[in-house]
Amino acid sequence: MSGTHAYVIRVAEDPADREACFAVRKEVFVGEQGVPEDIEYDAHDAGAVHVLAVREDGVPLGTGRLLYGPEVAAKTGGDPSVGSLGRLAVAKEARGLGVGAALVRAIEDAAHARGLAAVDLHAQTHALGFYERLGYEAYGPEFPDAGIPHRAMRRSLQR
């Protein structure tokens, strides 16, 4: 794909959009990174806010999700005012075009609209620099998730 293709970021509202989100996740996490498919999808998907990057011709380029509320506070240190950004995936042909950063900002906007004070995430260690450039700060020790090293990160949404 050439860098001349435009894309839009939108909240995945309908079943087709959600399937596009899941297809990108399967391509990136299951196909490229070897994450077992049975752990890639979870019960949190049903209540999550999913965002989708779509090329102007309809090809899905990336996705991410926001978890929030008391039922997911365990992912954010027990704080229901903190959202959890996760499952951020960008298709190989769209990397380097700003899709990942645009998805993160869309998830932050969704979190802010829901009154959340901050967003946490579990970053693969190779992606720490990406998130640091977007204002996230790492905390706590490195830990494995699906056999991949991660670090917890957080960004305040105070505007």
Side-chain angles (χ1 to χ4, degrees), residues 145-156:
D145 187 3
I148 301 168
H150 284 70
R151 289 275 314 273
M153 302 186 85
R154 180 173 286 190
R155 179 172 185 263
S156 171

Side-chain angles (χ1 to χ4, degrees), residues 122-130 141-143 148-153:
H122 293 163
Q124 293 181 8
T125 55
H126 72 83
L128 288 171
F130 166 77
E142 185 176 296
F143 60 93
I148 301 168
H150 284 70
R151 289 275 314 273
M153 302 186 85

Side-chain angles (χ1 to χ4, degrees), residues 4-158:
T4 62
H5 289 286
Y7 61 89
V8 297
I9 307 288
R10 65 177 183 244
V11 173
E13 300 285 356
D14 62 43
D17 278 355
R18 287 209 174 202
E19 287 306 313
C21 292
F22 295 154
V24 173
R25 284 169 49 183
K26 184 173 183 176
E27 173 189 335
V28 173
F29 296 125
V30 178
E32 290 180 31
Q33 297 182 354
V35 173
E37 194 166 358
D38 63 330
I39 66 169
E40 172 50 32
Y41 308 101
D42 62 26
H44 296 300
D45 279 323
V49 176
H50 296 269
V51 294
L52 177 65
V54 182
R55 201 168 65 191
E56 59 190 359
D57 62 2
V59 173
L61 300 177
T63 187
R65 73 179 187 184
L66 170 68
L67 306 178
Y68 65 98
E71 61 277 1
V72 297
K75 289 182 161 291
T76 61
D79 188 344
S81 74
V82 178
S84 176
L85 183 157
R87 303 304 202 265
L88 188 74
V90 176
K92 190 179 292 186
E93 69 270 14
R95 294 178 192 151
L97 301 178
V99 173
L103 287 163
V104 169
R105 294 305 187 218
I107 291 167
E108 291 170 350
D109 288 346
H112 188 263
R114 286 158 178 79
L116 300 177
V119 173
D120 262 19
L121 58 86
H122 293 163
Q124 293 181 8
T125 55
H126 72 83
L128 288 171
F130 166 77
Y131 290 110
E132 287 168 345
R133 287 188 296 278
L134 294 173
Y136 286 80
E137 295 180 12
Y139 66 91
E142 185 176 296
F143 60 93
D145 187 3
I148 301 168
H150 284 70
R151 289 275 314 273
M153 302 186 85
R154 180 173 286 190
R155 179 172 185 263
S156 171
L157 297 178
Q158 303 308 316

